[in-house]
Amino acid sequence: MNRTDALDMIRESISSVIPDADVAALAPDDAFRDVLEMDSLDFLSFVEVLSERSGIRIEDDDTPRLTTLSGSADFLVAHTR
């Protein structure tokens, strides 16, 4: 998976959890929970959806890396090589 595909998947995953989220306005290092006002359940749902769509098992220890677009994309790209 390349970075562009990863970013598209992340945005789609967020949109499936928070349909009215303005994912296009997210900067690479914006914290999802702050900018999108994600609560803990929304964030966990996002992680579950991202795991399902990517086919990558995401462990609890991995979740701190998934709080921004850039961190999430780095994680996905690194785990699909």
Side-chain angles (χ1 to χ4, degrees), residues 52-80:
E52 290 172 11
R53 290 179 183 218
S54 67
I56 297 169
R57 184 175 177 170
I58 300 173
E59 303 290 341
D60 289 342
D61 293 345
D62 298 325
T63 58
R65 297 175 61 191
L66 304 176
T67 59
T68 65
L69 280 175
S70 60
S72 297
D74 291 345
F75 176 84
L76 291 177
V77 170
H79 285 81
T80 57

Side-chain angles (χ1 to χ4, degrees):
M1 174 180 311
N2 65 40
R3 191 163 184 82
T4 301
D5 293 338
L7 290 168
D8 288 343
M9 184 180 295
I10 295 159
R11 289 182 181 107
E12 290 168 5
S13 297
I14 291 170
S15 292
S16 73
V17 174
I18 306 172
D20 59 340
D22 185 6
V23 294
L26 280 171
D29 294 320
D30 284 346
F32 299 147
R33 293 183 76 178
D34 294 339
V35 175
L36 302 175
E37 298 181 14
M38 270 186 169
D39 62 25
S40 296
L41 292 177
D42 290 337
F43 182 73
L44 290 175
S45 294
F46 157 69
V47 171
E48 288 176 8
V49 169
L50 188 61
S51 178
E52 290 172 11
R53 290 179 183 218
S54 67
I56 297 169
R57 184 175 177 170
I58 300 173
E59 303 290 341
D60 289 342
D61 293 345
D62 298 325
T63 58
R65 297 175 61 191
L66 304 176
T67 59
T68 65
L69 280 175
S70 60
S72 297
D74 291 345
F75 176 84
L76 291 177
V77 170
H79 285 81
T80 57
R81 288 187 176 167

